Amino acid sequence: MSWTGRLFSKPFWLALAMLAVGPAHAAPPHRRLNDADAQWQYYGGDSGGTRHSASREITRENVDQLEIAWTYRTGELGVGFIRADKLSFEATPILVGDTLYLSTPTDIVIALDAATGKFRWRHDPKIPRHLHYSEATSRGVSWWTDESAEPNARCSQRIFIGTLDARLIALDARNGGRCADFGIKGSVDLAAAARPTERGQYLVTSPPAVYRDLIIVGSAIGDNRAVELERGIVRAFDARTGAQRWSWDPIPTTSAEAATRGWSEDGARKTGAANAWSIFSVDTGRGLIFVPTGSASPDFFGGERPGLNNYANSLVALRADTGELVWHRQLVHHDLWDYDVAAQPMLIDIEREGKAIPAVVQATKTGMLFVFDRETGEPVFEIVERPVPVSNVPGEVVSPTQPFPATPALVSHAAITPQDAWGLTVIDRARCRELIGKYRSEGLFTPPSLQGTILSPSFVGGVNWGSLAYDPERQLILAPVNHVPMVVTLVPRNEFEPMRDSGSYLDSEFAHQTGTPYGMRREMLASPLGLPCTAPPWGSLAAVDLRRNAIRWQVVLGSTRDRTPWFVPSRTIGMPNMGGPIVTAGGLVFIGAATDNYLRAFDIETGRELWKRRLPAGGQATPMTYEAAGRQFVVIAAGGHGGLKTKQGDYVIAFALPPAH
C-alpha cells in the first residue's frame, strides 16, 4: 500500500539541478443532466468516481483568466505529530449545499463557505500524535442525509470520516458536533475485529462509501512487516446507530473457502492484508458496491501464501445491502510486486458495437485499463492470460500467467536493458548500464530475486490512488501515469539486519517480512547523481479514447521547478505524481499531482497545456469544481506530500474567473 520518501531522496532532487535536457519525447446514474450535477457531493465527483463536472463557465477560451478567489489555511502543520515528515495533504473537498467539507492529514474535519472560503466549523478527533502511523493522510470525508428525520433535526445530515487511529466518526454537518447516537459517543472502533498487531499500522485513509443507510469502509494496513498482519475486512455500518450490518473478508476464513479461492488452508489462516485502502464506488440503482483490493501480506514474497490468492489484487462487486459477493476479477495473480488495485473503480456507460453497456473501468499500477460489464463482470475488452517469468527464489512459486487486457497500455511493459541506460554524463550512463546489467530484468511481472529485480512499472505506478476522470461526450478516459522504475531485492534472513544497519543503503527502504525466509530492500533505479536510470518522462497525463480503443494523446506532466536551485532553468520533462485529474464540460482537464507545485489546465481535445498557476505548497491532491454565488470555482488542497518530499503546507485554494461587474 505504501511507499516512503526514501525512494525519492535528496540526491534525486539535487541531481535535477544538472538536468539540461529539453522536453521529453514522449451513464445513468452518472450522466450529467441538470444544475445539481455540476456540484461535487462525493470524493470522486459522483458515486461512480467519474470526476466529471457539467460546469462550463470556465472554458478553453477563458481559462487563462483564472485567478485566486480565496485561500483558507487549516493550521495543521504537524506540530507535536511524531511523523510530521510523512504528512500528505491528499484531501478532495466535497460540496453539500453551500458548504465545503474536507479533512487534514490528521483527520481534522473543516467546513467552509463555498463562495468565500470563510470558516464555519472544525472538529478535531484528537488522534494520538505520538504513534508511528504507516501513513499520515486523509483523502476526505463523506456525507449522508437521514431521509426519515425532520430536516432541521440534530444530525439529520452527517459527515463521516475514518481516522488514522482506526475510528469511524459521525459528525453533525451543521456544526461539527459528534452524533452521540452513532456508536459510542459518535465513534465506532474499527481495529478490534481486524486482528490488530501494532498500533498505528491499521488505519483508514480514504472516505467511506455511502449506500442508502449504510456507511461502508475498508482499511489501510502497513505493508511488509510480516506474514501475519491485520485482516483486510470491508464492513458496513448503520448510518444512524453505528451497528455493524455486514462484513466481507478478502481472505478465506474456513478451509472450504480456502480450497475454492485458490488458497492453502495454512496460508489463509496466517496471511493478512488484501485490504481495500482506496476509494469504493457505488451503483445505487443496481445495489452494487465496487471494491478495489490490495496485495496479501507480505508484498514481495508469497511462499507462505501459495496459490492465486483470490480475492487479493482484485476488483470485487458486492451486494451493497448484504456484503454478498456478486462477482470478482483478479487483476494480478499471487502478487509479488505490491501491485495493489489503488485507483477508484470508475462507473460509466459506454457504447460498443452499437450497444450501451453499463461498465466499470479499473486502472492499475501496471498501467493497464480493465473494462467490465458491471452487472455481470464480463470483460468488455478481451483479457488474455499470458506467460510471465518464473521465480528463481527458493520457496516461491509464481503464477505462470497474468491477465492482459486488449486496451492500450499506458506504460511500457518491456524489459529495461543496459541499452536503455540514461544519464546526464558519460560516467552516469556507464554506471546505469552497469546497474541494469546486474539486476534481473525481464519486463513486467519479473519476480523479486536475491540478486535484485527491476520493477517497471514500479509499485508507485502506473496509475495510483489519483485514479481516472471521464469525459462522457467524447468517451475519453484521463489518467495520470508514473514511469519511474524501482529495484526490489530479497535479503536472506541472516543477512538482513547487518545490511540494514551497515549505513551503505541510505536511500533504500527495508522491511522485515517476518515469518518468511527473506527481508526486503527497495530503492529507485538511480544513477550516482540520483536520477532515474531511464530517460524521462517520469510522469505523464494520458487520454484514452474508448470508441477507438486507442490513446488519443499523452503529454508530459510536471517540470523540474522546485527541484533545482533558483538559478537553474526548469524543464518540463514529466515528473513523478500523486493525485488525480478532473474534467469539465468546458473542455478542460485540471490536475495538480506533479512535484512542481502547479495546478494546470489542459485542452481535452489535444492535451495542450492552456493554463498553470503556482501553488504555495505541493498540490498532491485531486482538485474539484462547483458553482456557487454565480461563479464556477476550482479548488485544490495544497499541503505537500511526505513521500514525494514536496513542500508542506496547509492551504486550500479556490480559483475562479474575475467576478462580472
Side-chain angles (χ1 to χ4, degrees):
M1 177 201 70
S2 62
W3 52 282
T4 73
R6 285 184 174 182
L7 302 180
F8 295 95
S9 57
K10 188 175 181 181
F12 173 80
W13 304 125
L14 291 179
L16 286 173
M18 301 177 62
L19 190 57
V21 299
H25 297 296
H30 311 291
R31 192 180 303 280
R32 302 297 185 171
L33 296 174
N34 52 47
D35 290 343
D37 291 327
Q39 305 312 311
W40 204 276
Q41 291 186 351
Y42 299 85
Y43 171 86
D46 55 35
S47 63
T50 65
R51 293 169 181 79
H52 175 270
S53 171
S55 294
R56 58 178 70 245
E57 179 190 5
I58 304 170
T59 66
R60 288 173 284 186
E61 290 71 35
N62 63 22
V63 66
D64 61 342
Q65 300 174 41
L66 280 182
E67 61 184 24
I68 293 179
W70 55 258
T71 298
Y72 175 80
R73 300 194 67 175
T74 69
E76 178 54 276
L77 294 169
V79 175
F81 190 71
I82 197 169
R83 297 312 307 272
D85 62 317
K86 289 180 70 74
L87 289 178
S88 298
F89 198 4
E90 298 175 351
T92 298
I94 62 172
L95 176 75
V96 182
D98 61 356
T99 304
L100 289 177
Y101 301 93
L102 63 120
S103 55
T104 73
T106 54
D107 302 315
I108 297 170
V109 181
I110 296 170
L112 304 175
D113 182 285
T116 65
K118 290 183 178 179
F119 173 81
R120 287 192 166 165
W121 59 254
R122 175 187 186 97
H123 177 86
D124 187 349
K126 298 188 183 303
I127 64 169
R129 298 174 82 86
H130 67 282
L131 293 179
H132 287 264
Y133 297 104
S134 58
E135 296 289 317
T137 192
S138 173
R139 296 183 188 92
V141 300
S142 300
W143 171 79
W144 174 79
T145 185
D146 188 345
E147 300 289 353
S148 66
E150 291 294 325
N152 295 322
R154 186 175 184 275
C155 286
S156 61
Q157 293 190 47
R158 302 186 178 196
I159 297 296
F160 287 91
I161 185 171
T163 65
L164 296 182
D165 60 347
R167 288 178 286 162
L168 179 61
I169 296 175
L171 304 175
D172 190 325
R174 290 181 178 83
N175 56 34
R178 292 281 186 100
C179 296
D181 55 350
F182 182 82
I184 299 175
K185 297 180 179 179
S187 177
V188 171
D189 179 11
L190 298 173
R195 195 175 70 182
T197 63
E198 185 180 350
R199 289 191 71 193
Q201 299 296 317
Y202 182 85
L203 34 91
V204 180
T205 56
S206 294
V210 177
Y211 172 76
R212 295 183 178 174
D213 295 341
L214 296 178
I215 307 300
I216 305 167
V217 64
S219 62
I221 295 173
D223 286 346
N224 297 311
R225 292 173 287 136
V227 173
E228 298 190 47
L229 294 184
E230 297 82 1
R231 307 282 293 197
I233 53 179
V234 175
R235 286 171 283 180
F237 297 90
D238 187 295
R240 296 182 182 87
T241 68
Q244 183 173 307
R245 294 306 183 202
W246 56 258
S247 176
W248 177 80
D249 196 327
I251 298 175
T253 56
T254 68
S255 57
E257 279 187 302
T260 58
R261 291 203 211 170
W263 288 78
S264 71
E265 182 176 356
D266 186 57
R269 178 182 56 81
K270 293 190 300 185
T271 302
N275 51 302
W277 60 266
S278 190
I279 305 94
F280 305 164
S281 290
V282 178
D283 185 332
T284 302
R286 293 176 173 82
L288 297 176
I289 182 165
F290 294 87
V291 178
T293 65
S295 51
S297 59
D299 289 339
F300 297 104
F301 180 76
E304 310 302 322
R305 49 175 172 85
L308 295 179
N309 304 149
N310 287 323
Y311 304 129
N313 302 91
S314 298
L315 175 61
V316 179
L318 302 178
R319 192 70 61 197
D321 55 1
T322 65
E324 174 192 4
L325 178 74
V326 178
W327 58 262
H328 92 284
R329 286 284 180 168
Q330 190 175 57
L331 308 183
V332 178
H333 306 319
H334 189 74
D335 184 18
L336 301 175
W337 306 272
D338 193 6
Y339 284 157
D340 295 341
V341 184
Q344 180 181 11
M346 189 171 67
L347 309 186
I348 63 175
D349 290 337
I350 64 174
E351 300 170 9
R352 184 151 173 84
E353 297 177 352
K355 296 187 297 183
I357 300 173
V360 52
V361 182
Q362 184 63 66
T364 65
K365 289 184 180 181
T366 61
M368 293 190 273
L369 297 175
F370 293 85
V371 186
F372 302 102
D373 184 308
R374 63 177 182 262
E375 292 184 341
T376 67
E378 290 301 309
V380 174
F381 294 90
E382 183 184 14
I383 298 173
V384 176
E385 291 282 337
R386 295 179 183 168
V388 293
V390 300
S391 177
N392 57 13
V393 174
E396 183 63 86
V397 179
V398 304
S399 170
T401 64
Q402 293 288 349
F404 288 79
T407 50
L410 303 177
V411 299
S412 172
H413 292 156
I416 294 175
T417 70
Q419 288 69 40
D420 298 314
W422 179 90
L424 295 180
T425 68
V426 172
I427 295 175
D428 219 29
R429 288 191 294 275
R431 178 55 177 156
C432 280
R433 280 194 295 270
E434 180 183 341
L435 279 174
I436 294 170
K438 82 172 190 176
Y439 293 129
R440 187 172 181 190
S441 178
E442 299 169 36
L444 182 63
F445 296 121
T446 304
S449 61
L450 300 177
Q451 74 190 78
T453 291
I454 296 175
L455 270 58
S456 180
S458 76
F459 44 85
V460 176
V463 182
N464 209 292
W465 58 262
S467 308
L468 308 172
Y470 183 63
D471 183 322
E473 177 184 347
R474 299 169 180 83
Q475 291 204 16
L476 280 183
I477 289 174
L478 290 309
V481 188
N482 282 298
H483 306 267
V484 179
M486 303 286 182
V487 175
V488 168
T489 304
L490 296 178
V491 183
R493 183 63 56 204
N494 63 339
E495 300 175 19
F496 177 75
E497 291 190 2
M499 179 182 289
R500 182 196 61 191
D501 299 337
S502 68
S504 299
Y505 300 92
L506 298 179
D507 296 324
S508 298
E509 179 185 14
F510 287 83
H512 278 94
Q513 299 193 145
T514 301
T516 77
Y518 310 100
M520 181 275 294
R521 188 187 85 237
R522 61 184 182 182
E523 62 272 331
M524 186 171 65
L525 177 64
S527 73
L529 291 176
L531 291 171
C533 277
T534 54
W538 302 312
S540 65
L541 178 67
V544 178
D545 187 331
L546 287 182
R547 289 194 179 104
R548 297 170 47 239
N549 191 27
I551 294 177
R552 177 179 290 192
W553 50 259
Q554 190 162 14
V555 296
V556 297
L557 178 64
S559 70
T560 59
R561 180 77 182 265
D562 296 315
R563 301 301 163 207
T564 59
W566 63 269
F567 53 83
V568 176
S570 65
R571 302 290 188 226
T572 300
I573 61 170
M575 299 296 286
N577 60 83
M578 282 288 155
I582 66 171
V583 63
T584 74
L588 296 168
V589 182
F590 288 96
I591 187 169
T595 58
D596 59 358
N597 299 358
Y598 281 102
L599 177 64
R600 291 177 164 88
F602 294 88
D603 186 328
I604 185 68
E605 293 284 1
T606 65
R608 184 167 66 93
E609 183 181 296
L610 300 176
W611 170 86
K612 67 179 179 181
R613 182 62 184 257
R614 191 93 170 116
L615 300 173
Q620 285 72 55
T622 302
M624 50 88 74
T625 187
Y626 59 91
E627 296 172 14
R631 302 172 76 189
Q632 181 184 352
F633 295 86
V634 178
V635 175
I636 189 168
H641 192 282
L644 285 176
K645 297 298 180 186
T646 54
K647 183 180 178 181
Q648 293 186 315
D650 63 343
Y651 299 87
V652 182
I653 302 175
F655 296 90
L657 297 174
H661 295 291

